[in-house]
Amino acid sequence: MKKGLILEGGAMRGLFTAGVMDVLMENGVVFDGAVGVSAGAAFGCNYKSGQIGRVLRYNMRFCRDKRYCGLYSLIKDGNIYSSQFCYGEVPLKHDVFDFEAYKNNPMEFYVVCTDVETGEAVYKKYEYPNDSGFDWIRASASMPLVSQVVEIDGQKLLDGGIADSIPLRFFEGLGYEKNIVVLTQPKDYRKKKNRALPLIKMKYKKFPKFVEAMANRHNMYNDTLDYIAQKEKRGEIIVIRPPEKLNVGKIEKDPEKLKTAYEIGRSVALENLEGIKKYLQ
């Protein structure tokens, strides 16, 4: 029976997810596979590499660095989170990603992106350090309006959360029967229609399917929440979520707020740890 970890995005709300992951890793919780969307992909790959504490460490260190994220990066790089610094210098130089451990861990790891030409989800199994994995992760985390479209093997890609924010059904389709779902919004959250839709229609007028996906995103997301709630009620999955809205912005510059979100994730994971272990057994 395959055990899966599903990681929602949410930009810097992902520090909550990082806290959850670190507790699970510290307590030897093993999954056959994980799938991450946006920040869930950017941070979730550290589960396969086994690097406890890395997500918190580099985000606290660089969140105020203009090379990492913000208006400077947007003007210079075309991305609110710098493609060169975040996906080049940080993992290769400043806080080195353990590619060897990643490759040697048999756990599968999938990244979700959105194809801007079709408006549909693209699921990439990231296996080896040389298969453009970080480009797929960058694409998954590239937010509309403040990021450039990422082109890989002829596909034009952006934020995976547009087409499949919480890919539980995808993992079930791969045969994952025991799933832990980590969300970054509290239980009563419902997504509303995107207020920036007029700008999105203007910027992406060449990609009508993508605009349509953006316009329908809140419906897709809320439908997935309903599906998750039904499965959670029947005891078929375990859902880990913050008890209330996290006090972090998408482009959070306060390292203490990031640490607080991380600690909340740790606390919730510890509260659910025995239940998770029992469920996965």
Side-chain angles (χ1 to χ4, degrees):
M1 188 172 289
K2 294 171 72 174
K3 298 174 287 186
L5 179 64
I6 291 92
L7 306 172
E8 183 185 16
M12 285 300 123
R13 295 197 309 273
L15 268 294
F16 171 85
T17 302
V20 173
M21 292 194 308
D22 283 356
V23 167
L24 297 182
M25 285 192 283
E26 289 164 2
N27 286 275
V29 178
V30 176
F31 295 93
D32 298 296
V35 56
V37 182
S38 192
F43 299 163
C45 59
N46 292 275
Y47 208 108
K48 185 169 163 63
S49 66
Q51 291 178 273
I52 297 169
R54 181 174 178 269
V55 175
L56 176 67
R57 187 170 60 240
Y58 74 75
N59 275 289
M60 288 191 66
R61 178 181 175 186
F62 293 113
C63 67
R64 287 178 172 166
D65 193 319
K66 68 178 183 179
R67 297 172 298 171
Y68 188 65
C69 64
L71 185 60
Y72 174 85
S73 174
L74 183 61
I75 293 171
K76 181 182 179 183
D77 189 66
N79 298 284
I80 199 76
Y81 281 92
S82 169
S83 57
Q84 179 181 353
F85 192 77
C86 296
Y87 300 96
E89 287 192 41
V90 171
L92 299 178
K93 179 181 177 182
H94 300 300
D95 200 318
V96 178
F97 185 75
D98 194 337
F99 290 99
E100 193 66 23
Y102 184 97
K103 183 176 70 173
N104 292 332
N105 186 339
M107 183 182 84
E108 298 180 326
F109 188 73
Y110 290 84
V111 177
V112 185
C113 301
T114 299
D115 187 317
V116 300
E117 294 182 314
T118 67
E120 297 178 353
V122 178
Y123 305 95
K124 168 66 177 178
K125 185 179 179 181
Y126 174 25
E127 297 185 85
Y128 304 109
N130 61 350
D131 72 348
S132 301
F134 269 22
D135 287 336
W136 283 94
I137 290 173
R138 177 166 64 90
S140 180
S142 291
M143 296 179 286
L145 299 178
V146 292
S147 305
Q148 293 182 338
V149 172
V150 179
E151 187 166 344
I152 306 173
D153 299 331
Q155 287 184 295
K156 296 179 175 64
L157 307 164
L158 278 176
D159 187 351
I162 296 158
D164 193 353
S165 296
I166 313 166
L168 173 60
R169 290 184 177 99
F170 165 70
F171 244 32
E172 290 175 337
L174 293 181
Y176 284 86
E177 297 176 291
K178 289 279 189 175
N179 293 301
I180 306 295
V181 180
V182 183
L183 305 180
T184 58
Q185 295 282 14
K187 193 167 186 175
D188 60 352
Y189 176 77
R190 304 292 288 185
K191 187 174 285 296
K192 298 178 181 179
K193 189 172 183 178
N194 195 323
R195 291 180 295 179
L197 199 57
L199 290 176
I200 289 165
K201 288 179 179 179
M202 290 176 58
K203 184 174 177 65
Y204 301 104
K205 60 184 178 181
K206 293 182 180 180
F207 306 109
K209 294 292 185 181
F210 179 76
V211 173
E212 183 181 343
M214 286 292 298
N216 192 51
R217 184 183 183 186
H218 63 295
N219 293 322
M220 176 276 294
Y221 185 92
N222 293 334
D223 175 74
T224 302
L225 287 183
D226 292 340
Y227 180 73
I228 287 170
Q230 292 169 9
K231 301 211 71 155
E232 183 182 22
K233 186 176 181 179
R234 295 195 297 264
E236 296 173 1
I237 62 173
I238 287 182
V239 182
I240 307 297
R241 53 170 71 85
E244 57 188 17
K245 184 177 179 180
L246 297 168
N247 185 29
V248 288
K250 287 186 176 182
I251 315 297
E252 185 56 64
K253 294 289 189 179
D254 185 343
E256 290 307 313
K257 287 186 178 181
L258 297 179
K259 187 175 182 181
T260 297
Y262 171 85
E263 293 296 342
I264 293 171
R266 288 191 61 92
S267 176
V268 174
L270 286 168
E271 290 172 7
N272 288 274
L273 184 60
E274 292 309 312
I276 290 171
K277 287 182 176 180
K278 185 177 180 181
Y279 166 78
L280 293 176
Q281 288 174 352

